[in-house]
Amino acid sequence: MTQSIHSLWKKKLAAWLHDPAEKALVLMRDDVGHEHGSVKTLRERLGINDADFDRRADRFAAAADRPQWPCEPGRMRPAWANVRFANQPLLIHPLSGEEIDLGSLDDIAAKHIRTVSLDHFSDLIERDAHGEPDLRLTYLAFWRFGPEPALVAPEIGDLWRVLPADTRVPDHSIWSHLDTVSALAGALTDDAPALLSMSFGPVQGFIAQARSTSDLWAGSHLLSSLVWEGLKVICAALGPDAIAFPSLRGVAAVDRWLLEVADADGRGEQWRQRFTTIDAEWLQRTTDANPLFAATLPNKFMAIVPARQAEQLARQVVEAVRDAARAWAAEAAQHVLDDRDQGQHWQEQLDSQLAGFPEAQWAIAEWPTGSDRDRLPDADRLRQALAGYGTDSLFGEEVWKVLNREVRIDGAEFFKPNAGIVYPAVHELAERSLAAAKSLRPFAPLPQHGHRCTLCGEREWLTETAAQLHVPAGERRETPWLRKAQAGRFGIRKGEHLCGVCTLKRLWPTLFVEGLGELLDERPARFVISTHTMALATSLDRLVENYKPESLAGLSALSRKFALLDYPPVALPNALHRRLSSLRPATVVDIVKRLPSALDEARNEDAEERLAAGIAELLGARPETYYALIQMDGDHMGAWLAGNDPDYQCRFPATWHPQVRASLDRFRGDPAVAAYLDSSRPASPARHAAISAALNDFSTHVARHIVENVCKGKLLYAGGDDVLAMLSVDDLMPAMLLLRAAWSGSGDLRGLPGHIDVRGLQLAKGYARLKGRLMPMMGSRASASIGAVVAHHQAPLSAVLRELRRAEAVAKAHGRNAFCLRVIKRGGGEVGVTSRFWEMPRAVGATPAAPLLADTALGLLLRFAETLAQPEMSRRAVYNTLEWLSGLPERGGKDMSEEAWRHLLASNLAWQIERQGGVVQHAREFVDLACRESAKPAETIRVLGDLLVTAEFFARNGRAFGRAAAQAGAPR
């Protein structure tokens, strides 16, 4: 290790040890003081002294996040500016300002927690063969395992993960602060820091070129894997905390890399044991439920890097990503074109087709650290750069006037500006520059002369000789593609001849699984859940729900009649497989897992119809033939990241501990203090770390849990603020509601039909808690929109994906916080509903109460569909209603008031529902919902009809809802 590299890791470790992790619990309780406790001993053991820590990193990070509070040398800090966290423990959500009162932590002794922390971090110190500290490996161990409660002490629990960096501003954790300070310390080793923003693509078009759910997964996962190849360059050079977005801690692919690094240094077994202790699923699961199969990294990232190295790092990232794509494509092609005696024309094709894949754009914004003659941040060049984009950015806002001056209280410093306060402007410059780079992307035409790829239609198909390119599809007799299709290899279908990029995508599942076989004790099975299997999941779940002793006899008879055990088993949704596995004897699972393939392989329509009839006799209803896809996207994410709009900000005092907040009101007589207190907090490293962590936890833990453990679904992509998933029809609406509620970390499940078992998930005050892990979500002021499509399993997937993207766009156009649910019928036509999930507060800064999910539009659809599904209820009520709706007077007319019109419509609808045995209260709820969601009064009748018809579709036989009840309560 060179001296400069050694110095880098030493400086980053010094940054990590400038504050103890237990600071909040020992402050003003430990007689040795927080700076002379565990971190002092750790610095000594690592050979770190004061000169190794660049205190500018701490000052810049602090100024960007919070005031310094009244403090002067030789003067005691006033009592109101000191908060004993153990006595008044409180967490404040960084984006919504919601508060969680933790009660009292006085039972955790300061000396005890100091000792526990010291032991924990001492165990993480890595040493080389000579017994000397390995600073790089120790830093990586601190970063990854430092926040893990399972390695500390059971009495502390998940509190360890969320301990605040500053007890007076408990809206960001000590880990977030240490990450930022360490990243800045690394960037400051070479003069000044900069923000490097990078983006890769194409995304939507590349993923949408899919003929199967395997293609859909592969496109998402391949892009995520390529992004990680780029991120790895920066992680290796500067450490993973240099990545400001996305958050990397706990991402399975990153953990895998860390283990490889430890293995290379001879410490693999120790690291493997640590991962086992924290229950890392990626080392345990040998199916595609393994988190390594999850595409959780978005196509964009931002890093804090040394300004002088930024361009070089960007180019190294692009090179690493494209080299990986080219190497993987060659490996994939070799699996197909494996005849060494034939030509190697495909090698030349790969060189041209993969030359610019994936597309990459990047931008660098330098972070000025100097001061002007008044000792204020020198931001002239930054201001000029932003002016080039036609904006004053931070410098044109009132908050700049507040931040760019010193504020004193009782003669002591309260806030003193430094380079940290220009962070919002640096971030905006990076974002605007990246957007400009993407809009001006160069285009290099790719000459292609032969027949095109049968999947994308853009590039030539890979051939052994150039002459083969000109052979029409119908005249190709002996090609490796035909041989692989005939042998059923790699998912290649009859007639398919693919280009280099599509070959890589088609074989990516094979390549990825082969790579995992070297890491795990046994090679995981790559399971593909087909659209037909997902459709049947609704019916198979009904079999489990109604399973009786005589059901086994019926299943056995069906198996004998159609020789079901001769068919291959298929992969089932995880939640369904778990429920089926509870049935005895085990032969039940063996038979059920072969039903989808038996239906798929029925040689003619008559054979399929006979088997379907046999299944219908067993289940009491015809097998379900529809499945669902959903696409979710966070609303206004650009505004949340920019943090310059009052709708997406908190005022400074809203992020402070109530004790401090109340004490400062008496200083409002000072105009400078009053201006500070009335200002909204701009974007900061802590804010972006909070968003990054929320998106990481939502995609890595919560979304996957909802889709695959709570519901019968398969998560195809979850990275950043995007989710793409496939679901059974009966679980579609519960999944949409739960994903939307989990996004905000807020939702009340009382009153929902179907007895939805959330399997331990708790949501409250902007947080989610799952398996003992407390995770901040985006907060109750943040929203998301969802597009959903229900389609027949035989509908072309590419067409269904087009409709899905259209549905998401309609939801966004409806005003955000909305969903668009479309049912595309096989016989033609469609029904659907577009509505807001629930009303968001209009007042700036208002924090909404947790929505009662049963009263939302989707909740009403669920409840009414359940009512229609009851045996005593006739669905004729819907069709009768549709017949007389057209004869009603138009809403908004002069002859009838709004209330009278609603009463008339609700009364008629209630009469129809009651006449057919339904719940009368649904009538007024439906009418009010239709009125609220109608863009124009004349559309209300149509909207009401859509609501009723959609509910009727979900009420049909085989689409019953849910299982054993559970309540999502407040995290404790």
Side-chain angles (χ1 to χ4, degrees):
M1 183 182 295
T2 65
Q3 185 61 35
S4 61
I5 297 298
H6 181 86
S7 174
L8 169 68
W9 305 118
K10 196 171 189 179
K11 287 179 178 297
K12 291 178 72 70
L13 274 172
W16 258 80
L17 295 174
H18 82 280
D19 267 342
E22 71 275 12
K23 177 180 176 180
L25 292 174
V26 301
L27 205 62
M28 296 180 292
R29 300 176 71 222
D30 193 348
D31 54 4
V32 301
H34 71 279
E35 292 182 346
H36 300 282
S38 62
V39 290
K40 181 175 183 293
T41 304
L42 290 168
R43 287 194 294 265
E44 291 170 352
R45 292 177 180 178
L46 290 167
I48 293 171
N49 55 49
D50 288 344
D52 295 317
F53 179 41
D54 190 336
R55 296 193 176 276
R56 292 180 301 166
D58 186 30
R59 290 199 296 269
F60 293 168
D65 287 324
R66 53 183 169 80
Q68 281 90 352
W69 310 105
C71 183
E72 294 282 0
R75 293 180 56 180
M76 291 187 62
R77 196 185 299 272
W80 60 264
N82 293 317
V83 175
R84 285 179 173 264
F85 187 75
N87 294 345
Q88 299 175 285
L90 186 84
L91 297 178
I92 296 177
H93 194 281
L95 303 176
S96 67
E98 295 166 281
E99 299 178 0
I100 291 185
D101 189 341
L102 301 178
S104 175
L105 302 175
D106 274 333
D107 56 329
I108 301 177
K111 184 176 181 180
H112 169 70
I113 190 62
R114 175 179 19 110
T115 302
V116 164
S117 178
L118 176 60
D119 291 344
H120 170 50
F121 282 97
S122 295
D123 288 341
L124 298 179
I125 294 177
E126 301 286 4
R127 298 186 181 277
D128 60 24
H130 304 290
E132 295 298 318
D134 184 327
L135 298 183
R136 179 187 183 223
L137 203 57
T138 298
Y139 153 75
L140 291 174
F142 278 20
W143 176 84
R144 179 59 185 94
F145 299 115
E148 287 294 341
L151 297 172
V152 187
E155 66 270 23
I156 300 170
D158 211 49
L159 172 65
W160 183 256
R161 205 190 303 273
V162 295
L163 285 173
D166 190 315
T167 59
R168 296 155 301 191
V169 192
D171 75 330
H172 60 288
S173 72
I174 185 67
W175 312 108
S176 169
H177 178 64
L178 294 177
D179 283 345
T180 302
V181 176
S182 173
L184 282 170
L188 286 166
T189 57
D190 193 11
D191 188 32
L195 291 184
L196 169 62
S197 187
M198 302 195 70
S199 177
F200 300 90
V203 179
Q204 296 291 353
F206 178 73
I207 294 173
Q209 290 172 343
R211 286 188 176 159
S212 67
T213 52
S214 180
D215 282 351
L216 200 57
W217 172 86
S220 302
H221 194 272
L222 174 59
L223 281 178
S224 183
S225 299
L226 286 171
V227 171
W228 167 237
E229 291 300 310
L231 286 167
K232 198 157 48 173
V233 171
I234 295 177
C235 290
L238 299 170
D241 55 23
I243 306 298
F245 175 85
S247 174
L248 297 183
R249 188 179 284 115
V251 174
V254 182
D255 283 353
R256 177 185 178 184
W257 170 73
L258 289 170
L259 182 57
E260 291 170 352
V261 171
D263 264 327
D265 286 346
R267 297 289 295 170
E269 285 305 312
Q270 291 82 353
W271 280 62
R272 188 178 288 265
Q273 181 57 52
R274 288 170 186 153
F275 281 122
T276 301
T277 302
I278 66 173
D279 199 26
E281 287 186 87
W282 62 274
L283 272 178
Q284 305 167 14
R285 306 293 290 271
T286 55
T287 70
D288 69 350
N290 188 310
L292 287 169
F293 282 90
T296 54
L297 292 173
N299 70 312
K300 175 183 173 183
F301 71 81
M302 181 173 285
I304 301 174
V305 301
R308 290 178 181 173
Q309 300 177 31
E311 181 176 347
Q312 179 186 2
L313 284 169
R315 296 190 184 282
Q316 289 174 350
V317 167
V318 174
E319 182 181 7
V321 170
R322 289 179 175 167
D323 284 351
R326 174 62 176 83
W328 293 341
E331 188 178 354
Q334 286 171 353
H335 279 68
V336 179
L337 304 153
D338 54 1
D339 191 342
R340 303 297 181 186
D341 296 330
Q342 300 298 320
Q344 300 290 304
H345 178 252
W346 56 272
Q347 292 277 14
E348 299 174 16
Q349 291 178 292
L350 287 182
D351 288 339
S352 61
Q353 293 179 4
L354 276 293
F357 179 82
E359 297 175 3
Q361 294 85 32
W362 49 271
I364 300 165
E366 294 189 17
W367 187 339
T369 58
S371 301
D372 60 19
R373 287 178 298 179
D374 297 323
R375 293 188 299 176
L376 295 173
D378 185 359
D380 286 346
R381 288 183 59 199
L382 182 58
R383 190 197 299 260
Q384 292 169 11
L386 285 164
Y389 291 108
T391 179
D392 290 332
S393 182
L394 172 73
F395 307 112
E397 299 174 15
E398 285 298 317
V399 71
W400 174 249
K401 299 176 183 178
V402 173
L403 295 179
N404 198 31
R405 62 183 176 183
E406 185 175 321
V407 180
R408 303 180 71 85
I409 291 181
D410 278 355
E413 282 184 1
F414 175 72
F415 178 78
K416 185 175 183 179
N418 62 41
I421 67 171
V422 301
Y423 173 83
V426 179
H427 177 268
E428 182 170 352
L429 179 59
E431 290 291 276
R432 286 182 178 271
S433 299
L434 181 64
K438 293 171 74 172
S439 67
L440 296 174
R441 63 178 63 144
F443 173 72
L446 175 65
Q448 300 285 272
H449 306 292
H451 287 286
R452 299 298 192 265
C453 168
T454 54
L455 179 58
C456 71
E458 298 173 7
R459 295 167 289 268
E460 296 170 345
W461 63 284
L462 297 183
T463 62
E464 295 164 312
T465 65
Q468 290 175 327
L469 281 174
H470 305 289
V471 180
E475 298 178 16
R476 298 169 193 163
R477 296 291 179 264
E478 285 293 327
T479 71
W481 296 99
L482 293 174
R483 292 194 293 271
K484 293 298 186 293
Q486 188 174 7
R489 299 290 305 280
F490 312 124
I492 298 171
R493 300 182 181 184
K494 183 179 180 180
E496 283 191 323
H497 292 76
L498 307 181
C499 67
V501 175
C502 291
T503 298
L504 171 56
K505 184 198 294 188
R506 180 60 58 82
L507 271 77
W508 180 245
T510 300
L511 301 184
F512 184 68
V513 169
E514 288 176 352
L516 286 186
E518 302 171 3
L519 172 73
L520 305 177
D521 293 334
E522 53 183 300
R523 181 175 295 182
R526 167 71 181 113
F527 295 145
V528 177
I529 299 177
S530 68
T531 56
H532 195 181
T533 300
M534 189 59 74
L536 282 171
T538 298
S539 301
L540 299 180
D541 199 29
R542 183 167 182 165
L543 172 66
V544 178
E545 191 73 28
N546 300 324
Y547 189 79
K548 300 173 184 176
E550 53 267 31
S551 301
L552 177 60
L555 266 176
S556 300
L558 190 69
S559 177
R560 289 191 298 271
K561 182 177 180 179
F562 294 97
L564 294 180
L565 293 178
D566 293 342
Y567 292 93
V570 301
L572 300 174
N574 183 58
L576 175 61
H577 188 271
R578 184 183 63 246
R579 300 192 74 216
L580 274 170
S581 299
S582 66
L583 301 181
R584 294 292 180 268
T587 51
V588 172
V589 181
D590 292 336
I591 295 172
V592 170
K593 291 181 71 172
R594 286 163 169 80
L595 285 174
S597 57
L599 282 168
D600 281 338
E601 296 181 25
R603 294 183 179 178
N604 54 58
E605 289 188 10
D606 289 340
E608 183 180 0
E609 180 61 30
R610 288 195 300 272
L611 178 55
I615 297 174
E617 183 179 352
L618 179 67
L619 301 179
R622 289 193 63 80
E624 179 62 73
T625 57
Y626 285 84
Y627 75 102
L629 283 173
I630 66 170
Q631 188 163 306
M632 174 177 167
D633 185 51
D635 293 333
H636 303 293
M637 287 306 299
W640 279 109
L641 287 166
N644 55 9
D645 187 319
D647 287 341
Y648 308 101
Q649 293 176 314
C650 292
R651 295 194 183 278
F652 277 111
T655 63
W656 300 342
H657 193 285
Q659 172 189 315
V660 176
R661 194 185 311 151
S663 300
L664 280 171
D665 277 339
R666 59 194 173 102
F667 297 107
R668 280 187 172 274
D670 185 328
V673 175
Y676 192 98
L677 297 179
D678 292 336
S679 295
S680 294
R681 185 180 182 185
S684 68
R687 176 189 177 89
H688 287 157
I691 294 174
S692 184
L695 297 181
N696 179 31
D697 284 333
F698 175 78
S699 61
T700 302
H701 301 287
V702 180
R704 188 179 185 90
H705 175 78
I706 290 171
V707 172
E708 298 188 357
N709 294 334
V710 176
C711 301
K712 300 183 294 295
K714 179 66 178 176
L715 195 64
L716 300 171
Y717 174 75
D721 60 321
D722 296 318
V723 171
L724 177 64
M726 180 170 59
L727 289 142
S728 63
V729 173
D730 59 324
D731 279 346
L732 172 61
M733 289 194 285
M736 292 170 67
L737 261 181
L738 290 173
L739 285 170
R740 171 62 189 89
W743 174 258
S744 298
S746 179
D748 188 338
L749 291 186
R750 289 175 297 178
L752 275 178
H755 310 301
I756 298 170
D757 181 359
V758 295
R759 300 187 63 79
L761 176 65
Q762 297 175 296
L763 304 173
K765 296 187 176 181
Y767 289 81
R769 190 176 187 187
L770 181 65
K771 298 179 182 178
R773 185 186 184 98
L774 185 64
M775 300 168 282
M777 297 289 99
M778 282 295 295
S780 58
R781 292 169 56 197
S783 65
S785 297
I786 296 179
V789 169
V790 176
H792 192 275
H793 71 88
Q794 291 182 338
L797 184 59
S798 58
V800 177
L801 289 171
R802 283 196 301 271
E803 296 302 319
L804 180 64
R805 291 193 296 275
R806 189 178 303 168
E808 186 196 35
V810 170
K812 291 285 188 182
H814 197 69
R816 305 296 203 275
N817 191 39
F819 67 89
C820 175
L821 193 167
R822 304 174 66 195
V823 179
I824 303 172
K825 298 183 178 180
R826 190 185 187 193
E830 68 174 72
V831 297
V833 172
T834 301
S835 171
R836 283 162 290 182
F837 281 101
W838 52 78
E839 291 295 323
M840 298 289 285
R842 296 184 180 276
V844 174
T847 299
L852 185 63
L853 300 187
D855 289 345
T856 64
L858 270 179
L860 176 56
L861 276 173
L862 270 169
R863 289 187 286 121
F864 189 56
E866 185 188 49
T867 296
L868 289 174
Q870 301 306 312
E872 65 274 10
M873 174 67 181
S874 171
R875 299 200 307 276
R876 186 65 195 168
V878 171
Y879 300 105
N880 290 340
T881 300
L882 294 177
E883 290 176 3
W884 56 256
L885 274 177
S886 59
L888 288 177
E890 185 174 313
R891 178 188 173 201
K894 297 180 179 179
D895 299 331
M896 187 175 293
S897 68
E898 172 74 8
E899 180 56 35
W901 187 89
R902 292 193 184 202
H903 178 74
L904 171 67
L905 187 55
S907 297
N908 279 276
L909 181 57
W911 181 78
Q912 282 290 347
I913 292 175
E914 186 175 31
R915 184 172 167 227
Q916 302 296 336
V919 180
V920 175
Q921 77 179 57
H922 291 323
R924 183 58 191 249
E925 290 178 293
F926 262 118
V927 170
D928 288 343
L929 175 59
C931 290
R932 189 185 79 205
E933 298 302 328
S934 303
K936 301 175 182 177
E939 295 180 358
T940 303
I941 296 297
R942 177 190 59 78
V943 172
L944 178 60
D946 289 344
L947 287 165
L948 295 172
V949 173
T950 303
E952 189 276 333
F953 173 85
F954 284 95
R956 294 178 188 174
N957 288 341
R959 297 176 187 138
F961 304 108
R963 294 171 283 281
Q967 169 64 31
R972 293 189 298 275

